[in-house]
Amino acid sequence: MNQPRLKEFYQKNVTPELLKQFKFKNVHQVPKLEKVVINIGVGEAKENIKALEIAISELGLITGQKPATCRAKKSVSNFKIRENMPIGTKVTLRNAMMYEFLDRLINVAIPRIRDFRGIEPNGFDGKGNFNLGLTEQYIFPEINVEKSDKARGMNITIVTSAQKDEHAKALLDLIGLPFKKRDNK
């Protein structure tokens, strides 16, 4: 199998740039992508199990991997949720699948977002991981709008080996994630 385009770009362009930018002594200190976790919460699954099945099939189309069903850990009466009830779906992507998904996200899906001005850079967690929330799954070309019942949001977590947020931001910036530019006033 051929090496993913984004992984090749990372090895040839991003790694040397990060080595130079942060003056790392060793190539193994350079932050790298470890995994990408995509999850969709399906709150209406408690009344309509078909909604969960549609979300699972759509997430499978987007990622190319079979999603796992997430179940409630405990009962919450205010939300009418019982323990072990299916409430969402998630996929963890690693290696080639992760690079292919990020390549499609950056180059195909994000440019299709209406009135897009850039990704807010405040989604870092302090340990070098980045969370990105999308409001609808229709930005992915794999989704057929006619077959989908409604727009569902999703959370995409990009886990990196970076120890600091500034290293992770530089990595994601060089890979091509379009962050909002700050105005220096």
Side-chain angles (χ1 to χ4, degrees), residues 123-142:
F124 289 96
D125 66 351
K127 296 180 177 81
N129 305 319
F130 183 70
N131 286 299
L132 168 67
L134 298 177
T135 54
E136 57 183 36
Q137 78 279 25
Y138 299 135
I139 62 171
F140 291 96
E142 297 89 353

Side-chain angles (χ1 to χ4, degrees), residues 37-50:
V37 181
I38 303 110
N39 105 48
I40 299 176
V42 187
E44 71 263 22
K46 59 185 177 232
E47 290 105 21
N48 181 10
I49 200 71
K50 197 95 174 128

